[in-house]
């Protein structure tokens, strides 16, 4: 039937999506794409593999939206999902429909799911695991020389930046070392856009079995780790269900692993590309914490965070996010916000006065519970690496570093270095 109202509605919708920026699954020009998103405005209309959404590109407005209770994580609030336009055949669905956990619920339920985890990850509590992180770091650095090929080249990602966060989050959550290579392989396939969706759904199902078995094992024999603490937690409220413990466990492993790899590698890359700044750090003129914060701002481990949904119309400037629409937070664009960081926001500068005033860990109730942990990890890994290998350098030109085809994370395939 050709009802004129429907036609008008379709035209309005087409108009709304006109000029939408297509996010490139192959990540061929991340800086160009980030600049285009920022030029498109405070709220940019984007398309993620054919699925339309809004994205926030500015620090100030993102800060507001991240505490706006009209935006929720519950996928059932998404019109495109409820009406069956988006299904589990969409390759990014695993970023949103990840099971019940602190990552997917809001309000009082969210506090109930999250409290134990955030309490375990305070800077004070983390002091207790600092020696273990230092030990992992030293052991991995011991392996670097032996891992060099005939030309003296070693992949700093495979041998150092990737195993370290896995060891740390594995120790924290009580995941056996023998399983780490499997988890690394599965998450690599999960995030890569080259993985066929059937395969991704299969690996997510396999991971669910793995984590459920682990939670059952810890339920029978609790140990001294956060997974056991989540199982035993009761404080006043309801204890967490098995599904909730599994959800939190997989969120912790996925997040703690993937994002910290990016932080460590991006910091090394930025320093090698800015030798004057590296020299200041090595001379003790600028602290390693400044390197960590400026890397978080300038080269965010998370490019886009999917997704929140509007439960009412929300007006931002002259744009209305309609009830049922999806909102992405584009942390890379936000880190480059000239309104927040000045006209030179695209430059890496560890002495920048606003280097700590980034929002890379988010804001509001869902702010990254692992923020302090990742700062401790990078704060140990970076000085230890450059302390052991002060002549560290890239084995290929920086421009030849290959980005992985990952839409949401800032991920490189490898980081070949010479140890100097
Ligand atoms: C990956 C798949 C899964 O099983 C569970 C989660 C929940 C936490 C998510 C994670 C996801 C993807 C990466 C995220 C992480 C929280 C922080 C991390 C989004 C969907 C970031 O990149 C910020």
């Amino acid at each position: 039937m050709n009802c004129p109202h429907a036609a008008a509605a379709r035209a309005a919708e087409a108009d709304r999506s006109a000029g939408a920026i297509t996010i490139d699954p192959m990540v061929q020009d991340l800086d160009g794409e980030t600049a285009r998103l920022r030029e498109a405005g405070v709220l940019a209309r984007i398309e993620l593999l054919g699925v339309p959404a809004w994205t926030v590109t500015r620090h100030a407005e993102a800060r507001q939206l991240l505490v706006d209770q009209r935006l929720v994580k519950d996928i059932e609030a998404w019109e495109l999902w409820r009406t069956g336009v988006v299904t589990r055949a969409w390759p990014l669905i695993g970023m949103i429909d990840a099971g019940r956990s602190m990552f997917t619920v809001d309000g009082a339920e969210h506090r109930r799911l999250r409290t134990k985890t955030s309490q375990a990850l305070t800077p004070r509590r983390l002091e207790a695991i600092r020696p273990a992180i230092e030990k992992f770091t030293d052991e991995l650095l011991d392996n670097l020389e032996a891992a060099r090929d005939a030309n003296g080249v070693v992949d700093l990602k495979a041998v150092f930046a990737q195993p370290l966060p896995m060891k740390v989050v594995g120790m924290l959550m009580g995941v056996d070392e023998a399983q780490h290579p499997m988890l690394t392989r599965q998450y690599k396939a999960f995030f890569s856009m080259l993985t066929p969706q059937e395969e991704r759904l299969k690996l997510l199902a396999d991971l669910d079995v793995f984590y459920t078995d682990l939670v059952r094992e810890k339920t029978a024999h609790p140990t001294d780790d956060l997974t056991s603490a989540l199982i035993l937690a009761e404080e006043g409220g309801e204890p967490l269900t098995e599904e909730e413990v599994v959800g939190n466990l997989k969120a912790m492993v996925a997040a703690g692993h993937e994002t910290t790899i990016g932080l460590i590698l991006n910091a090394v890359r930025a320093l090698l590309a800015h030798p004057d700044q590296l020299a200041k750090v090595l001379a003790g003129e600028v602290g390693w914490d400044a390197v960590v914060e400026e890397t978080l701002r300038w080269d965010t481990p998370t490019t886009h965070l999917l997704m929140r949904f509007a439960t009412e119309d929300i007006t931002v400037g002259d744009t209305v996010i309609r009830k049922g629409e999806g909102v992405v937070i584009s942390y890379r664009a936000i880190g480059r916000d000239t309104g927040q960081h000045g006209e030179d926001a695209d430059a890496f500068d560890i002495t920048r006065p606003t280097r700590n005033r980034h929002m890379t860990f988010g804001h509001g109730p869902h702010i990254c519970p692992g923020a302090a942990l990742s700062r401790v990890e990078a704060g140990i890994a970076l000085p230890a690496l450059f302390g052991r290998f002060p002549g560290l350098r890239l084995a290929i030109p920086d421009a030849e570093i290959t980005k992985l085809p990952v839409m949401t994370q800032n991920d490189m395939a490898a980081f070949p270095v010479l140890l100097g």
Side-chain angles (χ1 to χ4, degrees), residues 37-81:
L37 286 173
R38 290 192 33 77
E39 278 158 27
V42 170
L43 278 185
R45 190 78 171 167
I46 56 172
E47 245 183 63
L48 299 154
L49 305 169
V51 172
W54 293 107
T55 189
V56 203
T57 67
R58 297 291 191 278
H59 185 103
E61 284 80 3
R63 206 177 155 85
Q64 278 173 13
L65 286 173
L66 285 169
V67 293
D68 193 322
Q69 293 181 11
R70 296 170 298 176
L71 275 180
V72 298
K73 295 273 208 147
D74 180 5
I75 194 172
E76 296 304 326
W78 194 13
E79 177 89 28
L80 292 176
W81 173 258

Coordinates of all heavy atoms in Angstrom, one line a residue, residues 37-81:
L37 N 34.3 12.6 11.5 CA 33.2 12.5 12.5 C 33.1 13.8 13.3 O 32.0 14.3 13.5 CB 33.6 11.3 13.5 CG 33.3 9.9 13.0 CD1 33.9 8.9 14.0 CD2 31.9 9.7 12.7
R38 N 34.3 14.4 13.6 CA 34.3 15.6 14.3 C 33.7 16.7 13.5 O 32.9 17.6 14.0 CB 35.7 16.0 14.8 CG 36.2 15.0 15.9 CD 37.4 15.4 16.7 NE 37.5 16.9 16.8 CZ 36.8 17.6 17.6 NH1 36.0 17.1 18.5 NH2 36.9 18.9 17.6
E39 N 34.0 16.8 12.2 CA 33.4 17.8 11.4 C 31.9 17.7 11.2 O 31.2 18.7 11.0 CB 34.1 17.7 10.0 CG 35.4 18.4 9.8 CD 36.2 17.8 8.7 OE1 35.6 17.3 7.7 OE2 37.5 17.9 8.8
A40 N 31.4 16.5 11.3 CA 30.0 16.2 11.1 C 29.2 16.8 12.3 O 28.0 17.0 12.2 CB 29.7 14.7 11.0
G41 N 29.8 17.2 13.4 CA 29.1 17.8 14.5 C 29.2 17.1 15.8 O 29.9 16.1 15.9
V42 N 28.5 17.7 16.8 CA 28.5 17.2 18.1 C 27.9 15.7 18.1 O 28.5 14.8 18.7 CB 27.6 18.1 19.0 CG1 27.4 17.4 20.4 CG2 28.3 19.4 19.2
L43 N 26.8 15.6 17.4 CA 26.3 14.3 17.1 C 26.4 14.0 15.7 O 26.0 14.7 14.8 CB 24.8 14.2 17.5 CG 24.4 14.1 19.0 CD1 22.9 13.9 19.1 CD2 25.1 12.8 19.6
A44 N 27.1 12.9 15.3 CA 27.3 12.5 13.9 C 26.4 11.3 13.6 O 26.3 10.4 14.5 CB 28.7 12.2 13.6
R45 N 25.8 11.3 12.5 CA 25.0 10.2 12.1 C 26.0 9.2 11.4 O 26.8 9.5 10.5 CB 24.0 10.6 11.0 CG 23.0 9.6 10.7 CD 21.9 9.5 11.7 NE 20.8 8.6 11.2 CZ 19.9 8.1 12.0 NH1 19.8 8.4 13.3 NH2 18.9 7.4 11.5
I46 N 26.0 7.9 11.9 CA 27.0 7.0 11.3 C 26.2 5.7 10.9 O 25.1 5.5 11.2 CB 28.1 6.5 12.4 CG1 27.4 6.0 13.7 CG2 29.0 7.7 12.7 CD1 28.5 5.4 14.6
E47 N 26.9 4.9 10.1 CA 26.4 3.6 9.7 C 27.5 2.6 10.1 O 28.6 2.7 9.6 CB 26.2 3.6 8.2 CG 24.7 3.4 7.9 CD 24.4 3.3 6.5 OE1 24.9 2.3 5.8 OE2 23.8 4.2 6.0
L48 N 27.1 1.6 10.8 CA 28.0 0.5 11.2 C 27.5 -0.8 10.5 O 26.5 -1.3 10.9 CB 27.9 0.3 12.7 CG 28.3 1.5 13.6 CD1 27.5 1.4 15.0 CD2 29.8 1.5 13.8
L49 N 28.2 -1.1 9.4 CA 27.8 -2.3 8.6 C 26.3 -2.2 8.3 O 25.6 -3.2 8.5 CB 28.2 -3.6 9.4 CG 29.6 -3.7 9.8 CD1 29.8 -4.9 10.7 CD2 30.6 -3.9 8.6
G50 N 25.9 -1.1 7.8 CA 24.5 -0.9 7.3 C 23.5 -0.5 8.4 O 22.4 -0.3 8.1
V51 N 23.9 -0.5 9.6 CA 23.0 -0.2 10.7 C 23.3 1.3 11.2 O 24.4 1.6 11.5 CB 23.2 -1.1 11.9 CG1 22.4 -0.7 13.1 CG2 22.8 -2.6 11.5
P52 N 22.2 2.1 11.1 CA 22.4 3.5 11.5 C 22.4 3.7 13.0 O 21.8 3.0 13.8 CB 21.1 4.2 10.9 CG 20.1 3.1 10.9 CD 20.8 1.8 10.7
A53 N 23.2 4.8 13.4 CA 23.2 5.1 14.8 C 23.7 6.6 14.9 O 24.2 7.1 13.9 CB 24.2 4.2 15.6
W54 N 23.6 7.2 16.1 CA 24.2 8.4 16.3 C 25.6 8.2 17.0 O 25.7 7.2 17.7 CB 23.4 9.3 17.3 CG 22.1 9.7 16.7 CD1 20.8 9.2 17.0 CD2 21.9 10.7 15.7 NE1 19.9 9.9 16.3 CE2 20.5 10.8 15.5 CE3 22.7 11.6 15.0 CZ2 19.9 11.7 14.5 CZ3 22.2 12.4 14.1 CH2 20.8 12.5 13.9
T55 N 26.5 9.1 16.9 CA 27.7 9.0 17.7 C 28.0 10.4 18.3 O 27.8 11.4 17.6 CB 28.9 8.4 17.1 OG1 29.9 8.2 18.1 CG2 29.5 9.3 16.0
V56 N 28.4 10.4 19.5 CA 28.8 11.7 20.2 C 30.3 11.9 19.9 O 31.1 11.0 20.2 CB 28.7 11.6 21.7 CG1 28.5 13.0 22.3 CG2 27.6 10.7 22.1
T57 N 30.7 13.1 19.5 CA 32.1 13.3 19.1 C 32.7 14.4 20.0 O 33.9 14.8 19.8 CB 32.2 13.8 17.7 OG1 31.5 15.1 17.6 CG2 31.5 12.9 16.7
R58 N 32.0 14.9 21.0 CA 32.6 16.0 21.8 C 32.6 15.6 23.3 O 31.7 14.9 23.8 CB 31.7 17.3 21.7 CG 31.6 17.9 20.3 CD 33.0 18.5 19.9 NE 32.8 19.3 18.7 CZ 32.7 18.8 17.5 NH1 32.9 17.5 17.2 NH2 32.6 19.6 16.4
H59 N 33.6 16.1 24.0 CA 33.8 15.8 25.4 C 32.6 16.2 26.2 O 32.1 15.4 27.0 CB 35.1 16.5 25.8 CG 35.5 16.2 27.2 ND1 36.6 15.3 27.5 CD2 35.1 16.6 28.4 CE1 36.7 15.3 28.8 NE2 35.8 16.1 29.4
A60 N 32.3 17.5 26.1 CA 31.3 18.1 27.0 C 29.9 17.4 26.9 O 29.3 17.0 27.9 CB 31.1 19.6 26.8
E61 N 29.5 17.2 25.7 CA 28.2 16.5 25.4 C 28.2 15.0 25.8 O 27.2 14.5 26.3 CB 27.7 16.7 24.0 CG 27.2 18.1 23.7 CD 28.3 19.1 23.4 OE1 29.5 18.8 23.4 OE2 28.0 20.3 23.2
A62 N 29.3 14.4 25.6 CA 29.4 13.0 26.0 C 29.3 12.9 27.5 O 28.7 12.0 28.0 CB 30.8 12.4 25.5
R63 N 30.0 13.8 28.2 CA 29.9 13.8 29.6 C 28.5 13.9 30.1 O 28.1 13.2 31.1 CB 30.8 15.0 30.1 CG 31.3 14.8 31.5 CD 32.2 16.0 31.8 NE 32.2 16.2 33.3 CZ 33.1 15.5 34.0 NH1 34.0 14.7 33.5 NH2 33.1 15.6 35.3
Q64 N 27.7 14.7 29.5 CA 26.3 14.9 29.8 C 25.5 13.6 29.5 O 24.8 13.1 30.3 CB 25.6 16.0 29.1 CG 25.9 17.4 29.7 CD 25.4 18.5 28.8 OE1 24.6 18.2 27.9 NE2 25.8 19.7 29.1
L65 N 25.7 13.1 28.3 CA 24.9 11.9 27.9 C 25.2 10.7 28.7 O 24.4 9.9 29.0 CB 25.1 11.6 26.4 CG 24.4 12.6 25.5 CD1 24.9 12.4 24.0 CD2 22.9 12.6 25.6
L66 N 26.5 10.6 29.2 CA 26.9 9.4 30.0 C 26.3 9.4 31.4 O 26.4 8.4 32.1 CB 28.4 9.3 30.0 CG 29.0 8.9 28.7 CD1 30.6 9.0 28.8 CD2 28.7 7.4 28.4
V67 N 25.7 10.5 31.8 CA 24.9 10.5 33.1 C 23.4 10.7 32.8 O 22.6 10.8 33.8 CB 25.4 11.5 34.1 CG1 26.8 11.2 34.5 CG2 25.4 12.9 33.5
D68 N 23.0 10.7 31.6 CA 21.6 10.9 31.3 C 20.8 9.6 31.4 O 21.1 8.6 30.7 CB 21.5 11.4 29.8 CG 20.1 11.9 29.5 OD1 19.1 11.3 30.0 OD2 20.0 13.0 28.8
Q69 N 19.9 9.5 32.4 CA 19.2 8.2 32.6 C 18.2 7.8 31.5 O 17.7 6.7 31.5 CB 18.5 8.3 34.0 CG 19.5 8.4 35.1 CD 18.9 8.5 36.5 OE1 17.7 8.2 36.7 NE2 19.7 8.8 37.5
R70 N 18.0 8.7 30.6 CA 17.1 8.4 29.5 C 17.9 7.5 28.4 O 17.3 7.0 27.5 CB 16.6 9.6 28.8 CG 15.7 10.5 29.7 CD 15.4 11.8 29.1 NE 16.6 12.6 28.9 CZ 16.7 13.8 28.3 NH1 15.5 14.4 27.9 NH2 17.8 14.5 28.2
L71 N 19.2 7.4 28.6 CA 20.0 6.5 27.7 C 20.3 5.3 28.5 O 20.8 5.3 29.6 CB 21.3 7.2 27.3 CG 21.3 8.1 26.1 CD1 22.7 8.6 25.9 CD2 20.8 7.4 24.9
V72 N 19.9 4.1 28.0 CA 20.1 2.8 28.7 C 20.9 1.8 27.9 O 21.0 1.9 26.6 CB 18.8 2.2 29.1 CG1 18.0 3.2 30.1 CG2 17.9 1.9 27.9
K73 N 21.4 0.8 28.5 CA 22.2 -0.3 27.9 C 21.3 -1.4 27.4 O 21.7 -2.2 26.5 CB 23.2 -0.8 28.9 CG 24.3 0.1 29.3 CD 25.4 0.1 28.3 CE 26.7 0.5 29.0 NZ 27.8 -0.2 28.4
D74 N 20.1 -1.5 27.9 CA 19.2 -2.6 27.6 C 18.9 -2.6 26.1 O 18.2 -1.8 25.6 CB 17.9 -2.5 28.4 CG 16.9 -3.6 28.2 OD1 17.3 -4.5 27.4 OD2 15.8 -3.5 28.7
I75 N 19.3 -3.7 25.4 CA 19.1 -3.8 24.0 C 17.6 -3.8 23.6 O 17.3 -3.4 22.5 CB 19.8 -5.1 23.4 CG1 19.9 -5.0 21.9 CG2 19.2 -6.3 23.9 CD1 20.8 -6.1 21.3
E76 N 16.7 -4.2 24.6 CA 15.3 -4.2 24.3 C 14.8 -2.8 24.0 O 13.7 -2.6 23.5 CB 14.5 -4.9 25.4 CG 14.8 -6.4 25.6 CD 14.7 -7.2 24.3 OE1 13.8 -6.9 23.5 OE2 15.5 -8.1 24.1
A77 N 15.5 -1.8 24.4 CA 15.1 -0.4 24.2 C 15.4 0.1 22.7 O 15.1 1.2 22.3 CB 15.7 0.5 25.2
W78 N 16.1 -0.8 22.0 CA 16.5 -0.4 20.6 C 15.4 -0.8 19.6 O 15.2 -2.0 19.4 CB 17.8 -1.2 20.3 CG 18.6 -0.7 19.1 CD1 18.4 0.5 18.4 CD2 19.7 -1.3 18.5 NE1 19.3 0.6 17.4 CE2 20.1 -0.5 17.4 CE3 20.3 -2.5 18.7 CZ2 21.2 -0.8 16.6 CZ3 21.4 -2.9 17.9 CH2 21.8 -2.0 16.8
E79 N 14.9 0.2 19.0 CA 13.8 0.0 18.0 C 14.3 -1.0 16.9 O 13.5 -1.9 16.5 CB 13.5 1.4 17.4 CG 12.5 1.4 16.3 CD 11.1 1.5 16.8 OE1 10.9 2.1 17.9 OE2 10.2 1.0 16.2
L80 N 15.5 -0.8 16.4 CA 15.9 -1.7 15.2 C 16.0 -3.1 15.7 O 15.9 -4.1 14.8 CB 17.3 -1.2 14.7 CG 17.3 0.2 14.0 CD1 18.7 0.6 13.6 CD2 16.4 0.1 12.8
W81 N 16.3 -3.4 16.9 CA 16.4 -4.7 17.5 C 15.0 -5.3 17.7 O 14.6 -6.4 17.3 CB 17.2 -4.7 18.8 CG 17.2 -6.0 19.5 CD1 16.5 -6.4 20.6 CD2 18.1 -7.2 19.2 NE1 16.9 -7.6 21.0 CE2 17.8 -8.2 20.2 CE3 19.0 -7.5 18.2 CZ2 18.4 -9.4 20.2 CZ3 19.6 -8.7 18.2 CH2 19.3 -9.7 19.2

